Amino acid sequence: MIDFRYHLVSIVAIFLALALGIVLGSTTLSDSVSDTLRQQANQAAKTAQQARTQQRQLQEQVNGQEQFAAVLSPQIVAGRLKGQSVVMVEAPGAGDDSIEQISELAKNAGAAVTGRVTIQKKLLDDDQQMTLEELATQLKTDDVEFRGDANAYDKAGAVLAAALVTKDPDRSGREDAASGAVLNGFKEAGYITATGKPGQHATLAVVVGPATPYAYEGGGDDNEALISLAAALDAAGRGTVVGGPSTSAQEGGLIAALRDSEAGERVSTVDVVDTPSGQVVTILALQNEMGGKTGQYGTGAGASGYLPSPAPTAGKNG
């Protein structure tokens, strides 16, 4: 007869066997999971290394293309703006390097650079609109007309544009008393600073926008003010191009706002102006502007292509 002690030993043996099976099974499972995770980690590391290699190769390719553009750009633009003159307009927050490089490239293209006008943040302040409108009305010359619905920025843009650019070959390269009075008035009010002789009435204008979109409250109004100025420069002269880096074509940026406005039908834009190739595109866009062609160039939203296609013919300047 099997006694109680035998049953107890049997039950203990069964539970020990179960425990041993669980331990052995979990060990085997753990090794399998570890192997799988190890393989996945190795594959992820390999993929990351491949991505870094591709990124480095792409960056080297971009650097090579930009070096190509920088070295050959004087030859590419030679003669395209012969007999013309350009005034540079700098918005608050614009990159100085781009302006200097475009100025030099415009000279390589055969144009004279009259000077640079730097818009001060004060001009864009909302609490300055009444004072700005009063100043524009006071300095307005007989050849400037205000639209019936013109606001303070429209009026200031029209007055400044008339002092900076012209379509009349006889006025080009000459600074008269009226343009001098306008520029001095805006300087004394703290709205602009100027270098060179921007009052000599250029035939073309380049406006360089801020590197960072105006994100603070009222940023939309600031873009509107600069768009009014760009549109006025385009109307008063033979053409205007607004340039900026890629961020300017993003939401809130000057170029994005301009492309969405009515002025985008008349004013050309370049959203890669901080690159050597983009600076060449700016010169090509100015050349097209003289021929009555407006375009939106670069890589951002609203761009029709990186550059005018077909490119304007070298040696012809509208």
Side-chain angles (χ1 to χ4, degrees), residues 25 27 34 36 74 78 80 111 122 140 151 162-163 166 173 177 193 210 220 269 291 298:
T27 301
S34 296
T36 301
R80 292 181 180 273
K122 181 179 179 181
K140 173 182 174 297
N151 58 29
T166 184
T193 59
T269 60

Side-chain angles (χ1 to χ4, degrees), residues 34-311:
S34 296
D35 289 343
T36 301
L37 291 176
R38 190 177 297 108
Q39 291 173 4
Q40 292 176 345
N42 290 338
Q43 183 59 42
K46 182 178 180 181
T47 302
Q49 181 59 41
Q50 290 174 341
R52 285 192 292 269
T53 301
Q54 291 175 351
Q55 181 183 21
R56 184 172 62 253
Q57 291 172 343
L58 288 172
Q59 187 60 55
E60 290 173 353
Q61 183 177 359
V62 170
N63 292 342
Q65 291 172 346
E66 290 304 322
Q67 183 183 13
F68 179 88
V71 171
L72 294 182
S73 58
Q75 300 174 46
I76 295 172
V77 304
R80 292 181 180 273
L81 301 181
K82 184 177 180 181
Q84 305 301 314
S85 51
V86 182
V87 63
M88 306 298 299
V89 179
E90 177 184 4
D96 186 69
D97 288 346
S98 298
I99 295 173
E100 292 293 341
Q101 290 158 356
I102 295 171
S103 295
E104 288 304 312
L105 208 55
K107 295 174 184 177
N108 292 141
V113 176
T114 59
R116 181 195 301 188
V117 172
T118 302
I119 306 300
Q120 299 300 300
K121 177 62 178 64
K122 181 179 179 181
L123 187 147
L124 305 179
D125 289 343
D126 292 343
D127 60 2
Q128 290 292 313
Q129 290 194 38
M130 183 176 295
T131 304
L132 183 64
E133 184 170 7
E134 291 175 353
L135 178 64
T137 302
Q138 175 187 345
L139 295 175
K140 173 182 174 297
T141 55
D142 294 337
D143 58 339
V144 175
E145 295 183 3
F146 295 152
R147 299 193 322 266
D149 60 347
N151 58 29
Y153 295 134
D154 295 330
K155 294 177 180 179
V159 171
L160 269 175
L164 296 174
V165 296
T166 184
K167 294 179 181 178
D168 186 355
D170 293 334
R171 294 188 67 195
S172 177
R174 298 182 180 182
E175 181 173 2
D176 51 36
S179 63
V182 168
L183 294 177
N184 285 334
F186 276 81
K187 287 180 190 176
E188 291 174 1
Y191 293 140
I192 65 169
T193 59
T195 57
K197 297 181 179 180
Q200 288 186 340
H201 292 98
T203 54
L204 300 165
V206 174
V207 180
V208 178
T212 302
Y214 298 130
Y216 49 81
E217 185 177 356
D221 291 338
D222 293 347
N223 283 334
E224 180 183 345
L226 296 173
I227 290 171
S228 293
L229 175 58
L233 288 167
D234 186 75
R238 296 195 63 186
T240 294
V241 175
V242 176
S246 58
T247 50
S248 63
Q250 297 174 3
E251 183 177 0
L254 173 60
I255 288 181
L258 195 156
R259 288 173 176 173
D260 288 339
S261 71
E262 292 183 1
E265 299 178 1
R266 303 182 301 277
V267 179
S268 294
T269 60
V270 178
D271 64 39
V272 285
V273 81
D274 55 334
T275 66
S277 59
Q279 290 148 18
V280 172
V281 173
T282 302
I283 301 300
L284 298 181
L286 284 173
Q287 186 183 2
N288 263 353
E289 279 282 330
M290 290 188 293
K293 297 179 181 179
T294 299
Q296 315 303 327
Y297 309 113
T299 59
S304 58
Y306 195 86
L307 75 167
S309 181

